[in-house]
Amino acid sequence: MFPESCGSLDVPAAHHVGPRPARGPPDGDLLVITLGYAVLRTALAALWLRAGLADPARRRTTLRFAAGVTVCQAGWLSLLLLPGTARLPGIVVMILAEVLVPVWAQSAGMTPWHPRHIAERYELFTLIVLGETVAAATVAVRGAFESGHGTGALYALAGGGLLTAFALWWLYFAEPAHTLLATTHRVHRRRFTWAYGHYLVFTSAAAEGAGLAAYADHLTGRTAMSPAAAGLAVTVPAAVFLVTVWAVHLRPHQTRGSEGVPFAVVAAGILPAAWSPAPALVTGLLLAALVAVVTLRQGRSDGQPVPE
């Protein structure tokens, strides 16, 4: 575990190593990031080999994990030898290889895992990313106010951003994930669809914070983005988060097709909000309305009275 920790620390440290070249990719940063990642993943391969020695029944699965991780590390290191123009396609190939390793390895047999523990890991990471979204938006809006741009549009952005983040949080936690992982999602295909679907959840949540910050820069004239482009930076991530959470996290809980209609209506309404005078506020209000609908429906399905 300690070598893995050291490798993970190398990745953020790469952003502070030496002066960047005036043009071209930051080769020094790429080298340090790649070496740090190799250290981290090589230690992981060693742990899989150790698991194989301790668990003969699942040795085939653990050896596949160790082999897949090792081959991928050789691939990442080989990218350092490629010319700059070939690195981006190589990175795409290596990302695909990395995400396919667990699928290939566990096709030989599933490793034991606890549904509540796995669900908690994903839930905590989602909460962390949403928290970073609030923090990024707060810093951007505060900077705009400090520069003397205390306009109504900034107040709408701040209020809408908080409302959006809180609504996204509520919708994600509207249904418990561990019940799926303990029942229907123990099937190989469904389990990985749920897990890898979270890449879009995490990405869109992070992009929402960046979009709110970009819109604050647009309001203060710090960027040349058009109003529509700045608005889309706010609305598209929110719509992607909503659709993804519904598809991989909430839909399996639903028993009637009509339960997905409010999600589709709100997602369709969020996108054109980019052309409104206050995209963040409109997005937040639409999501808040969806939260109200979901909460009322859950109260009725549970047979419990909804508080007035």
Side-chain angles (χ1 to χ4, degrees), residues 252-272:
H253 288 278
Q254 298 172 352
T255 57
R256 298 188 301 272
S258 61
E259 294 182 68
V261 172
F263 291 86
V265 170
V266 171
I270 285 175
L271 290 175

Side-chain angles (χ1 to χ4, degrees), residues 1-281:
M1 296 299 293
F2 288 110
E4 286 186 282
S5 300
C6 293
S8 64
L9 289 174
D10 282 346
V11 176
H15 297 286
H16 305 281
V17 175
R20 293 180 182 269
R23 295 184 179 180
D27 293 330
D29 287 4
L30 181 62
L31 174 63
V32 176
I33 289 174
T34 303
L35 292 178
Y37 190 65
V39 170
L40 187 157
R41 300 290 280 179
T42 301
L44 178 62
L47 290 176
W48 278 117
L49 291 174
R50 180 185 177 188
L53 292 174
D55 191 355
R58 299 180 179 86
R59 185 167 296 162
R60 187 180 176 195
T61 300
T62 60
L63 291 179
R64 282 192 179 193
F65 266 114
V69 169
T70 301
V71 170
C72 284
Q73 294 328 295
W76 285 112
L77 292 171
S78 68
L79 290 182
L80 297 173
L81 304 177
L82 297 179
T85 54
R87 284 179 180 167
L88 182 58
I91 289 173
V92 173
V93 170
M94 291 311 307
I95 291 174
L96 290 175
E98 289 276 10
V99 299
L100 286 175
V101 167
V103 179
W104 171 65
Q106 297 216 45
S107 64
M110 188 173 66
T111 53
W113 49 278
H114 195 288
R116 285 184 179 272
H117 174 75
I118 297 300
E120 182 189 42
R121 298 299 95 189
Y122 281 82
E123 290 167 353
L124 288 176
F125 196 62
T126 301
L127 189 60
I128 290 170
V129 177
L130 287 174
E132 292 294 334
T133 294
V134 174
T138 300
V139 171
V141 172
R142 183 181 63 186
F145 278 121
E146 289 177 350
S147 64
H149 292 82
T151 65
L154 281 175
Y155 286 105
L157 174 63
L162 287 176
L163 196 57
T164 296
F166 295 159
L168 294 179
W169 166 79
W170 185 281
L171 291 169
Y172 181 87
F173 288 93
E175 296 286 356
H178 69 269
T179 57
L180 294 178
L181 298 179
T183 53
T184 59
H185 282 46
R186 281 196 173 272
V187 178
H188 195 65
R189 178 179 57 83
R190 290 184 178 180
R191 184 173 70 252
F192 280 107
T193 300
W194 181 87
Y196 286 154
H198 274 75
Y199 276 119
L200 275 177
V201 173
F202 301 147
T203 303
S204 58
E208 183 64 27
L212 292 169
Y215 198 82
D217 288 341
H218 163 70
L219 292 177
T220 56
R222 297 177 183 174
T223 177
M225 294 177 69
S226 66
L232 287 170
V234 174
T235 61
V236 170
V240 171
F241 184 98
L242 177 62
V243 171
T244 306
V245 167
W246 173 79
V248 304
H249 197 57
L250 300 178
R251 183 180 60 84
H253 288 278
Q254 298 172 352
T255 57
R256 298 188 301 272
S258 61
E259 294 182 68
V261 172
F263 291 86
V265 170
V266 171
I270 285 175
L271 290 175
W275 284 269
S276 69
L281 184 58

